[in-house]
Structures are given as structure tokens and as C-alpha cells.
Amino acid sequence: MAQNSQAPDTGALISLVEKILDSAIPPHLLQVEVGEFITVLGFLTNGNLEWLPDFSAEGSVTASGLALAPDMAATCADDTIRTVMFLRGTRTAIADKHSEVSDRPVRILYAGCGPYAILAVPLMLALSAEVASFTLVDIHPESVASAERIITALNLTDAVFDIKVMDATGYLADPDFPADIILTEVMQACLQTEPQVAVIRHLLSQFPSALLIPQEVRIDLVFADPAVEYFAGHRSAQPGSQDGRIYSGSVFVLNREAVFSWKNVSGSYLPGLSVEVNHFPDDRYQPMLFTDICVYQQYRIGAYESGLTCPRMLESAEKISPRVQLHFQYRLGDNPGIFIAAVE
Ligand SMILES: C[S@@+](CC[C@H](N)C(=O)[O-])C[C@H]1O[C@@H](n2cnc3c(N)ncnc32)[C@H](O)[C@@H]1O
């Protein structure tokens, strides 16, 4: 798409978005379109992704996990299947909510928008401000300033209720913007390191009836051969599939029911699930954690489809022997993650 003039070609951008949102097109075939869209956003921020003087290479460590630096956060947009699935899932969630509240826009609170607000800007282009209204939040002022530049350049300010620099774990409900949808992707595979759990837990306490995007993140314990996994790669992770993996069970689930069940849990740990290890295959097999994301309804991201769903080796695997029960927990705080809390 030619970008030599100052004014962006909004019509061409909308055509790209229509293609990206077209569920008939498999997401992995949309790398060029997503890349083209991001190039335009980069252009609109004046290519200003060199904002880093005050950041460590990775980002800012907060009390609830690592917040990726703006340039790192920008690279998330390139994770094509992730970006497409989040956009399609959010678009469907907005349509569902809109059918309930058709007399006003659906209110979407997007926490951790990053410098491109990539999970919102395409939807602002595709939907009118009467259908969807967004509040954007990011902890990094440079990301918020960049998102603001893009929104202004694309004439999308009508679709934005508010845009704030703040830690989303401290966001307080605005009486004029009771969110219908909480949209957040501040996570890594296995819900490690970044504050997805803390952010969702806090925001859902502010808006208990809001839909969550992603609707569910599930972490499963799987015995698999890392040599096959990491070198064969890019296979689907259906429990019980014929790929040599042995599925042991889910160890942690993040969805609205789980969050509500933690209501009275205080302190630094959340309960996970327990798994019995019945099979103990030969030494080639290692315990691994697989992440499965249900963005919304049929919009899912399975193993290897995104950086967010790359299987990881389970730490403390030495505790595992045949016929034990493993009890998992989730550690909150500045280095969040799943761990084996007890073995019986
Ligand atoms: C993984 S990046 C994702 C960026 C963008 N949402 C996307 O999907 O491409 C996470 C973003 O969330 C922001 N973030 C992380 N923790 C946050 C927090 N506690 N409050 C607000 N923003 C946060 C980071 O600054 C970063 O821009």
C-alpha cells in the first residue's frame, strides 16, 4: 500500500481489515495483510519505535509481572494467527453484546494496548463508533502516545472514550464507562512472567458481568518427546491425538469461573489443579506444559500457532515419578507462573 502522502488511505486499510476479519480465510494465510497493516501503523507513529532510553531491554518489572517495553510490545502484532484470532473473537463478542444493548455502543476496556493498539484499531475501522467504544490503557506512556497518534491520524477519536497511562491492576471503574468486554493480552506461554492473571483478576472485580477476551486460557500437562516437539514443531495439540503425546490433564485454567472462585483467596498463590501421573513412558518423554487459548467461542489458538502457545518444559520435573499426584499452584507477584506445589 503506497504511503508517500501524509494522509493514510483509510479505504485501503478497511479492505485489509475486512480480509483479516473474514473467517473463511485461514489466519495463517494472512501474514502479508497483517504485516501491511502494521507497516501503516508504524508509518503513522512516524516510525518512532526507538523510544527506549529508559527501558531495560525487556521492559518494566511491576508488582504483578513484566510489562513489555514498547518496541517489544510492537512485535506482538506480527504474531499473525494470534492477532487475527483476537480480532475475530473480539469482533464476535462485540456483536453478541451489541445484540443485547443495541441502543448504545458496546464498551471495550483494552488493557495493555501497546504502541499500535493492534487488537482495537482494526475494529474501530471496521465498526462504527455507535457500535463499539474503547478505553485503552497501557503502563508505558510511549505506547499510549503512539496509540493516540494512530487514532488521531485515522480519525478514530469518536471510537475512543478514554486512553490512559496507568497500571491496569490499579484501574478503577469509571461510572461513565461500565465495561461490557475486558480485552487484554499481557501474557506469555504458560501464563508466565507477564501479569495476565493479575490484570484479569482485578478488572473482573471491577466489571463482574463483562465478557473476557480471551475467554479461557488453559495449561495442560503433557508428556512428550522434546526432540520431536521442538524439531518437528507446528503440530496441533489435541488431547489424545495420535501424535505420541500423553495428555495428563489440565493444571491451571484462567476463565471467569476460576477468577470468581478465587474471590476469597488472599496472599501470593492461587490454587491450580491436581493431576495424577499414571503413565510414565520411557526417558525420551518429558513433562511439558501446553497452552491452549480460547479467545472467544470458536476462535482458538492451539499449540505452536502463536508465541503464546509454544509448549514449555515443566520446571521441577525431578519431582515426578510414576503414580504420583501433582498439585499445581500459580504464583502471583513480580515473577508470576505455574509450579508444582506438592507431590503425593
Ligand atoms: C504483550 S504486549 C501486547 C501489546 C498489544 N496488546 C498486542 O496485543 O499486540 C503487553 C502490553 O501490555 C502493557 N502492560 C503490561 N503490564 C501492564 C499493566 N500492568 N498495566 C498496563 N499495561 C500493561 C505493556 O506495556 C505492553 O504494551
Side-chain angles (χ1 to χ4, degrees):
M1 186 180 308
Q3 282 300 330
N4 296 327
S5 66
Q6 284 303 312
D9 181 350
T10 314
L13 273 182
I14 291 173
S15 302
L16 276 180
V17 173
E18 280 169 357
K19 220 168 157 190
I20 290 168
L21 292 177
D22 181 351
S23 296
I25 306 178
H28 67 275
L29 298 182
L30 289 164
Q31 218 160 350
V32 170
E33 287 76 5
V34 171
E36 219 171 300
F37 194 87
I38 296 165
T39 304
V40 177
L41 299 192
F43 168 82
L44 296 176
T45 64
N46 303 320
N48 185 15
L49 290 179
E50 311 285 332
W51 312 290
L52 294 175
D54 297 331
F55 292 104
S56 67
E58 288 198 315
S60 317
V61 178
T62 76
S64 50
L66 178 73
L68 287 191
D71 66 332
M72 296 288 286
T75 64
C76 300
D78 283 321
D79 192 349
T80 304
I81 296 180
R82 177 212 78 122
T83 297
V84 172
M85 286 305 197
F86 266 84
L87 286 170
R88 289 180 183 177
T90 307
R91 187 262 320 261
T92 304
I94 292 171
D96 286 352
K97 275 285 178 189
H98 197 244
S99 66
E100 290 169 21
V101 294
S102 52
D103 56 331
R104 61 160 177 86
V106 175
R107 304 181 193 106
I108 303 108
L109 173 61
Y110 180 13
C113 62
Y116 294 152
I118 189 68
L119 305 181
V121 167
L123 299 175
M124 293 178 197
L125 283 164
L127 306 170
S128 83
E130 281 77 50
V131 171
S133 172
F134 291 80
T135 286
L136 311 183
V137 172
D138 202 284
I139 200 167
H140 289 125
E142 297 82 355
S143 282
V144 166
S146 168
E148 258 175 337
R149 271 198 296 274
I150 289 169
I151 286 159
T152 305
L154 293 174
N155 267 324
L156 294 171
T157 45
D158 282 359
V160 179
F161 175 82
D162 200 2
I163 175 158
K164 281 177 184 296
V165 178
M166 67 178 304
D167 186 327
T169 62
Y171 182 89
L172 294 179
D174 180 333
D176 293 328
F177 192 88
D180 300 302
I181 295 178
I182 297 164
L183 164 64
T184 189
E185 194 280 82
V186 290
M187 63 175 281
Q188 297 186 6
C190 302
L191 293 168
Q192 255 180 289
T193 314
E194 289 185 53
Q196 182 86 1
V197 173
V199 168
I200 286 191
R201 200 178 175 207
H202 173 72
L203 294 180
L204 204 55
S205 76
Q206 299 291 301
F207 306 106
S209 56
L211 288 177
L212 271 188
I213 303 282
Q215 201 168 18
E216 181 170 288
V217 180
R218 198 190 68 234
I219 318 293
D220 297 330
L221 175 64
V222 175
F223 284 85
D225 179 349
V228 174
E229 290 299 327
Y230 292 138
F231 295 107
H234 297 276
R235 304 179 313 175
S236 73
Q238 294 309 312
S241 68
Q242 304 301 308
D243 55 15
R245 294 176 189 147
I246 297 167
Y247 172 85
S248 290
S250 298
V251 302
F252 192 76
V253 177
L254 175 62
N255 58 21
R256 53 186 301 114
E257 292 74 26
V259 174
F260 291 136
S261 77
W262 303 327
K263 198 168 167 205
N264 297 319
V265 177
S266 55
S268 308
Y269 300 100
L270 295 172
L273 300 168
S274 297
V275 173
E276 210 168 287
V277 178
N278 291 317
H279 304 273
F280 205 75
D282 66 58
D283 286 351
R284 282 172 308 159
Y285 281 75
Q286 300 292 323
M288 300 179 78
L289 295 179
F290 278 58
T291 306
D292 184 90
I293 301 174
C294 171
V295 177
Y296 186 68
Q297 295 177 354
Q298 74 269 36
Y299 299 103
R300 308 186 77 98
I301 308 171
Y304 299 107
E305 289 187 321
S306 155
L308 304 182
T309 56
C310 242
R312 292 193 176 183
M313 305 301 298
L314 173 65
E315 285 170 25
S316 317
E318 69 283 356
K319 294 183 182 170
I320 303 181
S321 55
R323 283 174 292 283
V324 291
Q325 263 230 322
L326 303 173
H327 303 283
F328 286 83
Q329 286 189 3
Y330 190 87
R331 183 183 55 248
L332 297 163
D334 60 3
N335 182 24
I338 291 165
F339 66 100
I340 301 173
V343 181
E344 279 178 63

